[in-house]
Amino acid sequence: MTGSALLIHHDKAMNYHFHDSHPFHPLRLRLTLDLLAEAGALAPTAMLTSRPATEEELLQVHQPAYIEAVKALSTNPGPDWLERAAQYGLDDDDTPFFPGMHEAAAYVAGGSITACEAVMSGRCDHALHLGGGLHHALSAKAAGFCVYNDVSVAIAYVRQRYQARVLYIDTDVHHGDGVQWSFYSDPEVCTYSIHETGKYLFPGTGFVQERGEHQGYGTCVNIPLQPYTEDASWMECFEQSILRLTEYFKPDLIISQHGCDAHALDPLSHMQCSMAIYNEMPAIIHSLAHTYCSGRWVAVGGGGYDIWRVVPRAWSLLWLEMTDHPLKRSLEQRPRTRLPQTWIERWQEQSSVSLPAEWLDDLTHWEGIPRRAEITAKNRESLAVALQDFPEI
Protein backbone atom coordinates (compact mmCIF):
# COMPACT_ATOMS: atom_id res chain seq x y z
CA MET A 1 0.00 0.00 0.00
CA THR A 2 1.23 3.44 -0.86
CA GLY A 3 -0.21 6.88 -0.40
CA SER A 4 0.98 10.39 0.32
CA ALA A 5 0.82 11.45 3.96
CA LEU A 6 1.07 14.70 5.91
CA LEU A 7 1.67 15.22 9.62
CA ILE A 8 -0.40 18.13 10.94
CA HIS A 9 1.01 20.23 13.77
CA HIS A 10 1.03 23.71 15.28
CA ASP A 11 3.21 24.76 18.19
CA LYS A 12 0.27 26.55 19.80
CA ALA A 13 -1.42 23.20 20.34
CA MET A 14 1.45 22.48 22.74
CA ASN A 15 -0.16 25.08 25.04
CA TYR A 16 -2.96 22.61 25.75
CA HIS A 17 -1.40 22.02 29.15
CA PHE A 18 -3.37 21.85 32.38
CA HIS A 19 -0.33 21.86 34.70
CA ASP A 20 3.02 20.09 35.02
CA SER A 21 1.76 17.25 37.22
CA HIS A 22 -1.30 16.51 35.06
CA PRO A 23 -1.12 13.13 33.24
CA PHE A 24 -2.19 14.67 29.92
CA HIS A 25 1.11 16.37 29.16
CA PRO A 26 2.10 17.91 25.80
CA LEU A 27 5.62 16.55 26.24
CA ARG A 28 4.19 13.39 24.67
CA LEU A 29 4.06 15.20 21.36
CA ARG A 30 7.59 16.54 21.55
CA LEU A 31 8.97 13.11 22.46
CA THR A 32 7.20 11.53 19.50
CA LEU A 33 8.23 14.12 16.94
CA ASP A 34 11.82 13.90 18.14
CA LEU A 35 11.80 10.10 17.91
CA LEU A 36 10.51 10.26 14.34
CA ALA A 37 13.15 12.84 13.44
CA GLU A 38 15.95 10.72 14.92
CA ALA A 39 14.62 7.68 13.06
CA GLY A 40 14.82 9.59 9.78
CA ALA A 41 11.07 9.31 9.30
CA LEU A 42 9.93 12.93 9.41
CA ALA A 43 10.92 15.12 6.49
CA PRO A 44 10.05 18.83 6.82
CA THR A 45 8.06 18.59 3.59
CA ALA A 46 5.77 16.04 5.25
CA MET A 47 4.58 18.53 7.90
CA LEU A 48 1.66 20.91 7.48
CA THR A 49 0.95 23.78 9.85
CA SER A 50 -2.63 23.89 11.07
CA ARG A 51 -4.97 26.72 12.02
CA PRO A 52 -7.40 27.24 14.90
CA ALA A 53 -11.02 26.20 14.56
CA THR A 54 -13.37 29.11 14.08
CA GLU A 55 -16.20 29.74 16.52
CA GLU A 56 -18.66 28.82 13.76
CA GLU A 57 -16.95 25.45 13.39
CA LEU A 58 -16.96 24.84 17.14
CA LEU A 59 -20.67 25.69 17.25
CA GLN A 60 -21.42 22.72 15.00
CA VAL A 61 -20.82 20.57 18.09
CA HIS A 62 -20.64 22.78 21.18
CA GLN A 63 -23.29 24.98 22.78
CA PRO A 64 -22.78 28.78 22.61
CA ALA A 65 -22.93 29.12 26.41
CA TYR A 66 -20.21 26.49 26.79
CA ILE A 67 -17.86 28.22 24.36
CA GLU A 68 -18.51 31.48 26.20
CA ALA A 69 -17.56 29.78 29.47
CA VAL A 70 -14.36 28.32 28.02
CA LYS A 71 -13.36 31.76 26.76
CA ALA A 72 -14.18 33.47 30.06
CA LEU A 73 -12.29 30.92 32.15
CA SER A 74 -9.24 31.25 29.90
CA THR A 75 -8.40 34.82 30.93
CA ASN A 76 -8.57 36.07 34.53
CA PRO A 77 -12.11 34.87 35.30
CA GLY A 78 -14.13 36.81 37.85
CA PRO A 79 -15.90 35.28 40.86
CA ASP A 80 -19.11 34.69 38.90
CA TRP A 81 -17.34 32.50 36.36
CA LEU A 82 -15.36 30.70 39.06
CA GLU A 83 -18.64 29.71 40.68
CA ARG A 84 -20.03 28.49 37.35
CA ALA A 85 -16.96 26.49 36.27
CA ALA A 86 -18.37 23.30 37.76
CA GLN A 87 -21.45 23.59 35.59
CA TYR A 88 -19.22 23.20 32.55
CA GLY A 89 -16.94 20.47 33.94
CA LEU A 90 -13.98 22.83 34.21
CA ASP A 91 -13.19 22.80 37.91
CA ASP A 92 -12.26 19.19 38.73
CA ASP A 93 -8.89 17.44 38.83
CA ASP A 94 -9.39 15.87 35.40
CA THR A 95 -10.19 18.97 33.37
CA PRO A 96 -9.35 22.15 35.29
CA PHE A 97 -9.47 25.46 33.44
CA PHE A 98 -6.12 27.06 32.64
CA PRO A 99 -4.85 30.32 31.09
CA GLY A 100 -5.11 30.33 27.30
CA MET A 101 -7.40 27.29 27.33
CA HIS A 102 -9.74 28.44 24.56
CA GLU A 103 -6.98 29.29 22.10
CA ALA A 104 -5.07 26.06 22.76
CA ALA A 105 -8.20 23.91 22.45
CA ALA A 106 -9.24 25.77 19.29
CA TYR A 107 -5.86 24.96 17.75
CA VAL A 108 -6.33 21.29 18.65
CA ALA A 109 -9.74 21.27 16.97
CA GLY A 110 -8.38 23.20 14.02
CA GLY A 111 -5.60 20.67 13.59
CA SER A 112 -8.12 17.87 13.10
CA ILE A 113 -10.10 20.01 10.65
CA THR A 114 -6.87 20.77 8.76
CA ALA A 115 -6.10 17.05 8.55
CA CYS A 116 -9.57 16.27 7.20
CA GLU A 117 -9.45 19.10 4.69
CA ALA A 118 -6.03 17.97 3.43
CA VAL A 119 -7.38 14.49 2.76
CA MET A 120 -10.82 15.38 1.44
CA SER A 121 -9.43 18.06 -0.90
CA GLY A 122 -7.03 15.54 -2.41
CA ARG A 123 -3.88 17.23 -1.15
CA CYS A 124 -2.83 13.93 0.44
CA ASP A 125 -4.23 10.44 0.97
CA HIS A 126 -3.49 10.20 4.70
CA ALA A 127 -3.08 12.80 7.44
CA LEU A 128 -1.98 12.47 11.06
CA HIS A 129 -2.80 14.97 13.80
CA LEU A 130 -1.29 13.66 17.02
CA GLY A 131 -2.52 16.61 19.07
CA GLY A 132 -6.12 15.58 18.44
CA GLY A 133 -8.29 12.81 19.81
CA LEU A 134 -10.05 14.69 22.66
CA HIS A 135 -13.01 12.33 22.43
CA HIS A 136 -14.66 12.85 25.84
CA ALA A 137 -15.77 16.48 25.52
CA LEU A 138 -19.55 16.84 25.35
CA SER A 139 -21.60 19.54 23.69
CA ALA A 140 -21.85 21.67 26.84
CA LYS A 141 -19.35 20.12 29.23
CA ALA A 142 -15.65 19.29 29.45
CA ALA A 143 -14.70 15.80 30.59
CA GLY A 144 -11.77 13.43 30.81
CA PHE A 145 -9.01 15.94 29.96
CA CYS A 146 -11.02 17.17 26.93
CA VAL A 147 -12.26 20.75 26.45
CA TYR A 148 -13.37 20.85 22.79
CA ASN A 149 -14.16 17.61 21.00
CA ASP A 150 -11.86 18.07 18.01
CA VAL A 151 -12.90 14.80 16.38
CA SER A 152 -16.61 15.64 16.46
CA VAL A 153 -15.88 19.13 15.18
CA ALA A 154 -13.83 17.69 12.31
CA ILE A 155 -16.50 15.11 11.43
CA ALA A 156 -19.16 17.82 11.42
CA TYR A 157 -16.92 19.85 9.08
CA VAL A 158 -16.56 16.91 6.69
CA ARG A 159 -20.28 16.19 6.74
CA GLN A 160 -21.19 19.82 6.05
CA ARG A 161 -18.60 20.51 3.37
CA TYR A 162 -18.24 17.16 1.62
CA GLN A 163 -21.34 15.15 2.62
CA ALA A 164 -19.03 12.16 3.08
CA ARG A 165 -19.91 9.01 5.00
CA VAL A 166 -17.49 8.84 7.92
CA LEU A 167 -16.36 5.80 9.85
CA TYR A 168 -14.83 6.80 13.18
CA ILE A 169 -12.58 4.13 14.74
CA ASP A 170 -11.60 4.67 18.38
CA THR A 171 -8.87 2.42 19.81
CA ASP A 172 -8.32 4.34 23.06
CA VAL A 173 -8.74 2.18 26.18
CA HIS A 174 -11.44 4.64 27.32
CA HIS A 175 -14.75 4.63 25.45
CA GLY A 176 -15.10 7.37 22.85
CA ASP A 177 -18.29 8.68 24.42
CA GLY A 178 -18.27 12.29 23.26
CA VAL A 179 -17.98 11.37 19.58
CA GLN A 180 -20.61 8.65 19.96
CA TRP A 181 -23.19 11.00 21.47
CA SER A 182 -22.46 13.69 18.86
CA PHE A 183 -23.62 11.39 16.04
CA TYR A 184 -25.82 8.88 17.84
CA SER A 185 -28.76 9.45 15.48
CA ASP A 186 -26.81 10.20 12.28
CA PRO A 187 -26.89 7.31 9.75
CA GLU A 188 -24.03 8.85 7.77
CA VAL A 189 -21.52 8.68 10.66
CA CYS A 190 -20.60 5.30 12.10
CA THR A 191 -18.82 5.36 15.47
CA TYR A 192 -16.80 2.33 16.57
CA SER A 193 -14.97 2.00 19.88
CA ILE A 194 -12.93 -0.86 21.34
CA HIS A 195 -12.04 -0.24 24.98
CA GLU A 196 -11.91 -1.55 28.51
CA THR A 197 -15.43 -2.13 29.74
CA GLY A 198 -17.14 0.81 31.38
CA LYS A 199 -17.97 -1.40 34.36
CA TYR A 200 -14.55 -0.56 35.74
CA LEU A 201 -13.22 2.44 33.83
CA PHE A 202 -14.10 6.04 32.99
CA PRO A 203 -16.39 7.18 31.41
CA GLY A 204 -18.62 4.25 32.40
CA THR A 205 -20.23 3.91 28.98
CA GLY A 206 -19.61 2.01 25.75
CA PHE A 207 -21.65 -1.13 26.31
CA VAL A 208 -22.74 -3.34 23.41
CA GLN A 209 -26.36 -2.24 23.87
CA GLU A 210 -25.42 1.32 22.81
CA ARG A 211 -26.19 0.98 19.10
CA GLY A 212 -27.45 4.40 18.03
CA GLU A 213 -30.99 5.72 17.87
CA HIS A 214 -33.66 6.71 15.34
CA GLN A 215 -32.17 6.75 11.83
CA GLY A 216 -28.72 6.16 13.31
CA TYR A 217 -29.61 2.83 14.91
CA GLY A 218 -26.96 0.29 13.93
CA THR A 219 -24.26 2.86 13.16
CA CYS A 220 -22.81 2.73 16.66
CA VAL A 221 -20.68 -0.27 17.61
CA ASN A 222 -18.93 -0.84 20.92
CA ILE A 223 -16.53 -3.65 21.81
CA PRO A 224 -16.05 -3.53 25.62
CA LEU A 225 -13.22 -5.80 26.76
CA GLN A 226 -12.41 -7.31 30.12
CA PRO A 227 -9.65 -5.93 32.35
CA TYR A 228 -6.27 -7.60 31.77
CA THR A 229 -7.05 -8.40 28.15
CA GLU A 230 -3.85 -9.33 26.30
CA ASP A 231 -2.70 -8.80 22.72
CA ALA A 232 -4.24 -11.91 21.14
CA SER A 233 -7.75 -11.33 22.47
CA TRP A 234 -7.65 -7.58 21.78
CA MET A 235 -6.56 -8.14 18.17
CA GLU A 236 -9.03 -10.98 17.62
CA CYS A 237 -11.91 -8.74 18.67
CA PHE A 238 -10.60 -5.71 16.79
CA GLU A 239 -9.87 -7.43 13.50
CA GLN A 240 -13.08 -9.44 13.30
CA SER A 241 -15.30 -6.51 14.23
CA ILE A 242 -13.71 -3.74 12.19
CA LEU A 243 -13.49 -5.81 9.01
CA ARG A 244 -17.18 -6.70 9.14
CA LEU A 245 -18.30 -3.23 10.13
CA THR A 246 -16.33 -1.47 7.38
CA GLU A 247 -17.63 -3.88 4.74
CA TYR A 248 -21.15 -3.20 5.97
CA PHE A 249 -20.93 0.60 6.28
CA LYS A 250 -18.70 1.34 3.25
CA PRO A 251 -17.37 4.74 4.32
CA ASP A 252 -15.96 7.53 2.18
CA LEU A 253 -13.46 8.51 4.89
CA ILE A 254 -11.96 6.77 7.92
CA ILE A 255 -11.02 8.86 10.96
CA SER A 256 -9.20 6.84 13.60
CA GLN A 257 -8.29 7.77 17.16
CA HIS A 258 -5.10 6.18 18.51
CA GLY A 259 -5.01 6.54 22.25
CA CYS A 260 -2.32 4.10 23.40
CA ASP A 261 -3.42 3.55 26.98
CA ALA A 262 -4.34 -0.14 26.70
CA HIS A 263 -0.64 -0.89 27.17
CA ALA A 264 0.28 -2.83 30.31
CA LEU A 265 2.46 0.05 31.51
CA ASP A 266 -0.28 2.67 31.33
CA PRO A 267 -1.20 3.90 34.84
CA LEU A 268 -4.82 4.80 34.05
CA SER A 269 -6.23 1.46 32.84
CA HIS A 270 -6.15 -2.25 33.66
CA MET A 271 -5.12 -3.88 30.38
CA GLN A 272 -2.19 -6.14 29.58
CA CYS A 273 -1.45 -5.32 25.95
CA SER A 274 1.98 -4.69 24.47
CA MET A 275 3.34 -2.51 21.69
CA ALA A 276 2.30 -5.24 19.25
CA ILE A 277 -1.30 -3.98 19.01
CA TYR A 278 -0.06 -0.48 18.14
CA ASN A 279 1.99 -2.01 15.36
CA GLU A 280 -0.88 -4.14 14.01
CA MET A 281 -4.01 -1.98 14.31
CA PRO A 282 -2.76 0.85 12.06
CA ALA A 283 -1.89 -1.69 9.38
CA ILE A 284 -5.47 -3.01 9.37
CA ILE A 285 -6.95 0.50 9.24
CA HIS A 286 -4.52 1.44 6.46
CA SER A 287 -5.67 -1.53 4.39
CA LEU A 288 -9.34 -0.70 4.97
CA ALA A 289 -8.79 2.90 3.86
CA HIS A 290 -7.36 1.75 0.54
CA THR A 291 -10.03 -0.92 0.09
CA TYR A 292 -13.08 1.23 0.79
CA CYS A 293 -12.08 4.92 0.79
CA SER A 294 -9.58 5.35 -2.06
CA GLY A 295 -6.98 5.73 0.68
CA ARG A 296 -8.73 8.55 2.55
CA TRP A 297 -7.59 8.18 6.16
CA VAL A 298 -7.19 10.73 8.95
CA ALA A 299 -5.64 9.65 12.26
CA VAL A 300 -5.49 11.54 15.55
CA GLY A 301 -3.77 10.92 18.89
CA GLY A 302 -5.69 10.58 22.15
CA GLY A 303 -4.86 9.07 25.51
CA GLY A 304 -1.65 7.47 26.67
CA TYR A 305 -0.12 8.25 30.03
CA ASP A 306 3.17 6.42 30.10
CA ILE A 307 4.63 9.26 28.12
CA TRP A 308 8.21 7.93 28.15
CA ARG A 309 8.00 4.24 27.34
CA VAL A 310 4.76 3.85 25.41
CA VAL A 311 3.38 6.95 23.68
CA PRO A 312 6.41 7.94 21.53
CA ARG A 313 6.81 4.41 20.19
CA ALA A 314 3.10 3.79 19.57
CA TRP A 315 2.50 7.08 17.78
CA SER A 316 5.71 6.74 15.79
CA LEU A 317 4.64 3.28 14.63
CA LEU A 318 1.38 4.84 13.41
CA TRP A 319 3.26 7.35 11.26
CA LEU A 320 5.63 4.67 9.98
CA GLU A 321 2.60 2.66 8.83
CA MET A 322 0.91 5.67 7.32
CA THR A 323 3.98 6.51 5.25
CA ASP A 324 4.85 2.88 4.42
CA HIS A 325 8.29 3.59 5.87
CA PRO A 326 10.98 0.92 5.38
CA LEU A 327 11.55 0.83 9.15
CA LYS A 328 7.99 -0.36 9.69
CA ARG A 329 8.41 -3.13 7.13
CA SER A 330 11.74 -4.18 8.61
CA LEU A 331 10.11 -4.83 11.99
CA GLU A 332 8.41 -7.85 10.43
CA GLN A 333 11.80 -9.46 9.88
CA ARG A 334 13.63 -7.88 12.82
CA PRO A 335 11.20 -7.32 15.71
CA ARG A 336 14.12 -6.60 18.06
CA THR A 337 15.06 -3.48 16.09
CA ARG A 338 16.54 -0.88 18.42
CA LEU A 339 15.40 2.70 18.91
CA PRO A 340 17.79 5.49 17.92
CA GLN A 341 20.44 5.73 20.61
CA THR A 342 20.58 9.52 20.20
CA TRP A 343 16.92 9.77 21.21
CA ILE A 344 17.44 7.61 24.29
CA GLU A 345 20.47 9.61 25.41
CA ARG A 346 18.73 12.96 24.85
CA TRP A 347 15.71 12.14 27.03
CA GLN A 348 16.89 9.61 29.60
CA GLU A 349 18.02 12.18 32.16
CA GLN A 350 14.58 13.77 32.20
CA SER A 351 12.75 10.47 32.57
CA SER A 352 12.11 8.85 35.94
CA VAL A 353 12.00 5.41 34.27
CA SER A 354 14.42 3.59 31.99
CA LEU A 355 13.59 4.29 28.37
CA PRO A 356 12.97 1.26 26.15
CA ALA A 357 15.77 0.14 23.87
CA GLU A 358 13.62 -1.41 21.14
CA TRP A 359 10.59 -0.48 19.05
CA LEU A 360 8.56 -3.49 20.18
CA ASP A 361 8.29 -5.06 23.61
CA ASP A 362 10.24 -8.19 24.46
CA LEU A 363 7.43 -10.40 25.79
CA THR A 364 9.65 -13.26 26.92
CA HIS A 365 9.84 -11.74 30.41
CA TRP A 366 6.15 -10.84 30.73
CA GLU A 367 4.11 -12.88 33.17
CA GLY A 368 1.01 -14.59 31.81
CA ILE A 369 -2.48 -13.72 33.05
CA PRO A 370 -3.95 -16.60 35.11
CA ARG A 371 -7.51 -15.86 33.92
CA ARG A 372 -6.60 -15.69 30.24
CA ALA A 373 -9.13 -18.30 29.08
CA GLU A 374 -11.98 -16.69 31.03
CA ILE A 375 -11.10 -13.21 29.80
CA THR A 376 -10.89 -14.41 26.20
CA ALA A 377 -14.26 -16.18 26.46
CA LYS A 378 -16.01 -13.10 27.88
CA ASN A 379 -14.49 -10.89 25.19
CA ARG A 380 -15.78 -13.27 22.51
CA GLU A 381 -19.25 -13.05 24.03
CA SER A 382 -19.17 -9.26 23.78
CA LEU A 383 -17.89 -9.50 20.21
CA ALA A 384 -20.69 -11.85 19.19
CA VAL A 385 -23.38 -9.56 20.62
CA ALA A 386 -21.86 -6.48 19.03
CA LEU A 387 -21.77 -8.11 15.59
CA GLN A 388 -25.11 -9.89 15.64
CA ASP A 389 -26.70 -7.47 13.14
CA PHE A 390 -23.81 -7.48 10.67
CA PRO A 391 -23.41 -10.14 7.96
CA GLU A 392 -20.25 -12.22 7.93
CA ILE A 393 -17.76 -11.42 5.19
Side-chain angles (χ1 to χ4, degrees), residues 308-320:
W308 299 102
R309 296 173 292 184
V310 176
V311 180
R313 290 189 295 163
W315 284 356
S316 293
L317 287 170
L318 170 59
W319 177 247
L320 295 179

Side-chain angles (χ1 to χ4, degrees), residues 10 24 58 66 75 128 131 179 203 220 232 307 341 350 357 390:
H10 198 292
F24 196 92
L58 294 173
Y66 176 66
T75 54
L128 174 61
V179 185
C220 173
I307 70 171
Q341 187 62 32
Q350 297 185 42
F390 301 105

Side-chain angles (χ1 to χ4, degrees), residues 72-90:
L73 290 166
S74 297
T75 54
N76 299 318
D80 290 346
W81 279 113
L82 294 177
E83 291 178 3
R84 296 168 62 187
Q87 176 184 345
Y88 300 103
L90 290 166

Side-chain angles (χ1 to χ4, degrees), residues 248-310:
Y248 172 81
F249 185 70
K250 293 183 173 58
D252 301 312
L253 169 69
I254 291 175
I255 300 178
S256 55
Q257 195 264 23
H258 295 263
C260 46
D261 37 8
H263 195 281
L265 293 175
D266 195 276
L268 299 187
S269 68
H270 315 98
M271 303 305 253
Q272 195 65 19
C273 294
S274 77
M275 199 58 58
I277 70 170
Y278 301 113
N279 190 40
E280 297 168 15
M281 286 192 294
I284 293 171
I285 297 171
H286 193 180
S287 176
L288 291 172
H290 282 283
T291 301
Y292 296 98
C293 309
S294 300
R296 289 185 291 270
W297 174 27
V298 171
V300 296
Y305 306 101
D306 189 313
I307 70 171
W308 299 102
R309 296 173 292 184
V310 176

Side-chain angles (χ1 to χ4, degrees), residues 113-309:
I113 292 174
T114 301
C116 287
E117 176 61 26
V119 169
M120 294 305 297
S121 68
R123 180 169 182 174
C124 59
D125 297 311
H126 317 318
L128 174 61
H129 177 226
L130 290 174
L134 306 184
H135 59 169
H136 294 308
L138 305 173
S139 64
K141 194 170 186 178
F145 313 157
C146 306
V147 176
Y148 292 142
N149 195 316
D150 65 286
V151 183
S152 292
V153 170
I155 293 173
Y157 175 90
V158 169
R159 291 289 306 128
Q160 182 180 54
R161 181 155 185 171
Y162 293 99
Q163 296 78 51
R165 285 169 65 82
V166 179
L167 171 60
Y168 171 68
I169 301 173
D170 192 313
T171 64
D172 195 290
V173 79
H174 301 89
H175 174 231
D177 58 332
V179 185
Q180 172 178 297
W181 303 131
S182 292
F183 304 100
Y184 205 53
S185 59
D186 189 340
E188 300 299 313
V189 178
C190 182
T191 60
Y192 167 97
S193 181
I194 185 170
H195 47 265
E196 181 180 336
T197 173
K199 288 181 180 179
Y200 310 107
L201 193 68
F202 177 89
T205 53
F207 299 100
V208 291
Q209 296 82 8
E210 297 166 27
R211 307 187 62 80
E213 63 184 3
H214 308 309
Q215 290 184 319
Y217 182 82
T219 57
C220 173
V221 176
N222 288 295
I223 312 292
L225 302 181
Q226 294 297 303
Y228 303 104
T229 292
E230 297 169 284
D231 292 343
S233 183
W234 179 288
M235 288 307 305
E236 176 187 21
C237 292
F238 177 75
E239 185 166 15
Q240 290 189 24
S241 57
I242 202 60
L243 293 181
R244 284 175 61 175
L245 177 61
T246 310
E247 165 65 21
Y248 172 81
F249 185 70
K250 293 183 173 58
D252 301 312
L253 169 69
I254 291 175
I255 300 178
S256 55
Q257 195 264 23
H258 295 263
C260 46
D261 37 8
H263 195 281
L265 293 175
D266 195 276
L268 299 187
S269 68
H270 315 98
M271 303 305 253
Q272 195 65 19
C273 294
S274 77
M275 199 58 58
I277 70 170
Y278 301 113
N279 190 40
E280 297 168 15
M281 286 192 294
I284 293 171
I285 297 171
H286 193 180
S287 176
L288 291 172
H290 282 283
T291 301
Y292 296 98
C293 309
S294 300
R296 289 185 291 270
W297 174 27
V298 171
V300 296
Y305 306 101
D306 189 313
I307 70 171
W308 299 102
R309 296 173 292 184

Side-chain angles (χ1 to χ4, degrees), residues 12-158:
K12 287 194 174 182
M14 301 291 288
N15 296 331
Y16 192 87
H17 184 194
F18 296 101
H19 51 77
D20 284 343
S21 58
H22 195 282
F24 196 92
H25 201 292
L27 183 59
R28 307 177 311 155
L29 287 168
R30 183 168 290 112
L31 289 164
T32 303
L33 295 176
D34 193 52
L35 177 56
L36 286 170
E38 290 296 339
L42 189 59
T45 54
M47 296 191 69
L48 177 64
T49 301
S50 58
R51 62 167 177 83
T54 66
E55 186 163 335
E56 181 180 1
E57 290 165 342
L58 294 173
L59 284 168
Q60 295 300 309
V61 170
H62 294 289
Q63 295 296 317
Y66 176 66
I67 296 175
E68 181 186 6
V70 172
K71 287 182 174 179
L73 290 166
S74 297
T75 54
N76 299 318
D80 290 346
W81 279 113
L82 294 177
E83 291 178 3
R84 296 168 62 187
Q87 176 184 345
Y88 300 103
L90 290 166
D91 74 332
D92 60 16
D93 291 339
D94 280 356
T95 320
F97 65 87
F98 60 92
M101 174 175 60
H102 168 73
E103 182 186 56
Y107 267 98
V108 171
S112 293
I113 292 174
T114 301
C116 287
E117 176 61 26
V119 169
M120 294 305 297
S121 68
R123 180 169 182 174
C124 59
D125 297 311
H126 317 318
L128 174 61
H129 177 226
L130 290 174
L134 306 184
H135 59 169
H136 294 308
L138 305 173
S139 64
K141 194 170 186 178
F145 313 157
C146 306
V147 176
Y148 292 142
N149 195 316
D150 65 286
V151 183
S152 292
V153 170
I155 293 173
Y157 175 90
V158 169

Side-chain angles (χ1 to χ4, degrees), residues 311-367:
V311 180
R313 290 189 295 163
W315 284 356
S316 293
L317 287 170
L318 170 59
W319 177 247
L320 295 179
E321 173 62 41
M322 211 172 227
T323 56
D324 195 29
H325 194 276
L327 178 56
K328 174 63 163 54
R329 298 195 299 272
S330 74
L331 289 173
E332 298 176 6
Q333 287 77 39
R334 298 189 298 275
R336 302 297 303 275
T337 299
R338 296 182 65 83
L339 293 173
Q341 187 62 32
T342 49
W343 181 83
I344 296 173
E345 292 174 355
R346 178 174 301 126
W347 295 105
Q348 183 58 74
E349 286 188 7
Q350 297 185 42
S351 173
S352 60
V353 295
S354 295
L355 297 180
E358 300 173 349
W359 282 97
L360 302 178
D361 296 317
D362 179 6
L363 303 183
T364 58
H365 303 297
W366 286 37
E367 295 183 9

